[in-house]
Amino acid sequence: MYKRLSMIMFPILLLALMGTGVWGYLEHQEKNSVLIKAENQYQRAFHDLSYHMEKLHSELGNTLAVNSTSQDVYKKGLVNVWRITSQAQNEISQLPLTLLPFNKTDEFLANISNFSYRAAVRDLSKRPLDENELKTLSTLYDRSAEISKELRSMQSKVIQNNLRWMDVELALATQKENHDNLIIDGFTKMDKKVGEYPEINWSPTVMNVSQTRNVQMLSGSEVTPENVKAKAAEFLGTPDTSAFKVVENGAGTEYHSYSVSAPKAGSHDGIHMDYSKKGGHLLWYSASRDVKQKTLDVRGARDAATQFLDEHNYKNMTAVSYDEFNNIANLTFAARNKDVTNYLEKVNVKVAMDNGEVTGLDASDYEFDKKDRQFKEPRLSVDEAKKTLSPKFQVDSVSKALIRNDINEEVLCYQFVGRVNGGNYRIFVNAESGAEEKTEHLGPEQTQTQAQAPVPNQT
């Protein structure tokens, strides 16, 4: 009996063992294939990075070599510098360097990209590169040569020693000592060297673009947690603050603020609000909930949001955009100053479309950009500005608007809303120069009524 059973089981076990072996071999082959593919991608990104840094150095040299009056050549050179820098940044993002201190080199490349782009998009015939900007280009030329040299040295070591990037990824993932890996050592050394460079005199344009918001930009004196509780109670229309909780955020930094949480009937999450410490300005409000059904239309949601803003002292606001998700209307309102729509001072409002309750408010743009502005009469007439538009563009409305352009300048524009190529668009034309500053797609032409419903007729 046992002999007969062994005769039956042996072939079965043998087949199972062979199947396991084949499966293991295929799994191993598949794993190796994935590793080889990843290694090839890392190697390609690294060698492309070395090539583009050398190309960047060369392009900066070409730009500096031309006569300062050759503005078209300068523009072409700056555009090429921006394009090559963007490629280099993209290649860095493809390498397993996230756990390395590589922020100085990233910041350096980002500043080159900003500098070249902002200089290229402006009208160089009217605002040519000044002496300081030419000095900056010369400095970038020298620095890019040093970085390119470091990368070429690393490239030689990678090729000569047949180094693998998968080993770099493994070393970083396991937090292994980095001193035994030539690639990690090389990138660490390069970033340290970039960090030791003397500060570059970037142009004001680039510095403005890189500038981050901080509470020093806000008006008013510093407030206490009790002050914030009182402000939150006034906003919510309740005298009882006993259940309010206030948490201080970012003490000692430029993001110093207070977070307020308060209970809400029928809600497990309650209400959350953020106030700046300086001035006690409300930056953010949320009373989110699920909205099961929709009973309001676009106009009803806009009216509910407008009433909410009026009640909370956001005066002279006009709706400029609208979208909808999960029965929640998201509306953007911009301040109106006489006949100018100020897109810098804007708030975002969320409205539940079952009963018109406002469930969210983002007022950070409004608070940080709010200030007294005097608008002078535009140099161009509407008809003169309209010449910039495509002849196929059918204008439905036109008004004045204040926006921030690509080089971070506040510019007064004519805002043309209309249709072309089956879509609705909002085009901003500089009221001084006639340059087209920005174009926004509002949606397909067949939904024009819905897309424009929040925007009052402006002529």
Side-chain angles (χ1 to χ4, degrees):
M1 178 179 174
Y2 290 111
K3 185 177 180 181
R4 188 184 308 164
L5 183 63
S6 64
M7 290 175 64
I8 296 172
M9 292 300 297
F10 180 75
I12 295 175
L13 292 173
L14 182 61
L15 288 173
L17 183 62
M18 291 174 64
T20 303
V22 170
W23 176 80
Y25 174 77
L26 293 176
E27 283 289 303
H28 179 71
Q29 289 292 96
E30 185 176 350
K31 181 180 178 181
N32 278 347
S33 176
V34 171
L35 291 175
I36 291 170
K37 185 176 180 180
E39 178 65 28
N40 289 340
Q41 288 176 338
Y42 287 149
Q43 292 286 356
R44 176 191 54 77
F46 172 64
H47 293 296
D48 284 351
L49 172 63
S50 179
Y51 167 76
H52 282 125
M53 284 304 302
E54 193 164 344
K55 188 73 174 173
L56 174 64
H57 172 65
S58 175
E59 194 62 44
L60 285 166
N62 293 342
T63 305
L64 285 167
V66 302
N67 191 292
S68 60
T69 60
S70 305
Q71 303 304 339
D72 289 341
V73 180
Y74 261 110
K75 183 179 287 289
K76 180 181 177 181
L78 289 166
V79 169
N80 285 335
V81 167
W82 169 73
R83 176 179 55 80
I84 295 168
T85 307
S86 299
Q87 289 175 318
Q89 289 178 287
N90 179 53
E91 283 141 13
I92 288 174
S93 70
Q94 296 176 43
L95 295 173
L97 303 174
T98 53
L99 298 179
L100 277 179
F102 205 60
N103 56 309
K104 295 297 182 183
T105 307
D106 269 344
E107 183 182 352
F108 176 73
L109 290 174
N111 283 334
I112 294 179
S113 180
N114 282 332
F115 176 84
S116 55
Y117 177 76
R118 307 299 165 180
V121 297
R122 80 188 193 208
D123 189 344
L124 291 176
S125 63
K126 295 179 180 178
R127 292 177 56 196
L129 296 180
D130 59 31
E131 186 177 347
N132 286 331
E133 288 172 326
L134 290 173
K135 286 182 179 177
T136 298
L137 271 179
S138 181
T139 302
L140 295 179
Y141 174 73
D142 294 337
R143 303 278 172 81
S144 63
E146 294 176 14
I147 295 176
S148 180
K149 182 179 178 182
E150 290 286 339
L151 281 172
R152 283 199 305 272
S153 174
M154 290 172 58
Q155 194 176 26
S156 297
K157 292 176 182 177
V158 167
I159 295 172
Q160 290 173 4
N161 296 283
N162 197 25
L163 301 177
R164 298 195 319 157
W165 276 92
M166 295 305 298
D167 295 334
V168 174
E169 188 173 42
L170 181 63
L172 292 173
T174 57
Q175 297 183 344
K176 185 180 177 181
E177 283 296 324
N178 299 338
H179 301 292
D180 296 331
N181 192 293
L182 291 175
I183 296 178
I184 295 177
D185 289 347
F187 274 95
T188 303
K189 178 184 175 183
M190 184 169 66
D191 195 65
K192 182 180 178 181
K193 188 171 184 178
V194 173
E196 292 172 350
Y197 286 155
E199 186 67 30
I200 294 177
N201 183 23
W202 301 106
S203 67
T205 298
V206 174
M207 295 308 294
N208 289 340
V209 170
S210 303
Q211 185 179 15
T212 56
R213 288 174 170 176
N214 61 72
V215 293
Q216 300 307 316
M217 301 167 66
L218 300 173
S219 61
S221 55
E222 292 190 352
V223 295
T224 66
E226 290 304 316
N227 296 145
V228 169
K229 272 190 181 183
K231 285 178 176 289
E234 182 182 1
F235 185 88
L236 298 174
T238 175
D240 184 14
T241 63
S242 59
F244 286 18
K245 294 182 179 179
V246 180
V247 177
E248 192 171 356
N249 306 311
T253 72
E254 65 264 34
Y255 305 105
H256 204 167
S257 63
Y258 292 106
S259 291
V260 182
S261 57
K264 180 186 176 186
S267 170
H268 295 293
D269 196 36
I271 295 171
H272 301 277
M273 309 166 78
D274 278 356
Y275 283 86
S276 64
K277 182 172 184 179
K278 185 177 181 183
H281 300 279
L282 176 65
L283 303 177
W284 181 74
Y285 161 81
S286 175
S288 58
R289 61 178 175 84
D290 291 333
V291 181
K292 302 296 184 182
Q293 59 183 357
K294 173 182 172 181
T295 60
L296 296 179
D297 59 8
V298 177
R299 191 170 297 278
R302 183 193 67 180
D303 291 344
T306 300
Q307 181 180 348
F308 174 87
L309 292 174
D310 286 340
E311 290 173 353
H312 291 91
N313 207 33
Y314 296 94
K315 301 297 184 183
N316 300 320
M317 307 293 288
T318 183
V320 294
S321 70
Y322 169 89
D323 62 24
E324 181 184 324
F325 182 73
N326 283 347
N327 297 326
I328 298 286
N330 298 284
L331 299 104
T332 300
F333 287 77
R336 288 278 290 176
N337 187 323
K338 297 180 180 178
D339 60 343
V340 178
T341 303
N342 185 349
Y343 282 85
L344 276 57
E345 298 177 17
K346 64 180 184 290
V347 296
N348 296 305
V349 184
K350 292 185 177 182
V351 179
M353 300 190 73
D354 54 358
N355 61 5
E357 177 192 9
V358 171
T359 60
L361 172 71
D362 184 348
S364 54
D365 286 332
Y366 180 86
E367 296 297 347
F368 279 100
D369 283 305
K370 184 175 176 58
K371 63 181 180 181
D372 291 331
R373 293 178 173 91
Q374 300 299 322
F375 301 107
K376 62 181 182 179
E377 283 299 312
R379 188 177 68 84
L380 301 180
S381 67
V382 172
D383 289 336
E384 289 172 327
K386 194 181 293 185
K387 293 177 182 178
T388 304
L389 305 175
S390 166
K392 297 180 181 179
F393 187 77
Q394 301 177 42
V395 177
D396 294 324
S397 68
V398 57
S399 62
K400 297 175 188 174
L402 182 72
I403 66 168
R404 188 170 278 117
N405 64 11
D406 282 345
I407 57 175
N408 214 38
E409 296 174 332
E410 295 184 13
V411 288
L412 182 65
C413 295
Y414 286 111
Q415 170 186 255
F416 294 96
V417 177
R419 291 159 286 139
V420 68
N421 298 327
N424 293 291
Y425 293 87
R426 181 160 46 208
I427 301 176
F428 298 93
V429 177
N430 193 306
E432 293 295 314
S433 66
E436 188 175 306
E437 297 286 359
K438 188 180 295 187
T439 300
E440 295 178 353
H441 185 216
L442 300 177
E445 190 171 346
Q446 58 265 30
T447 60
Q448 181 188 6
T449 303
Q450 178 174 336
Q452 294 302 311
V455 184
N457 292 327
Q458 300 165 359
T459 57

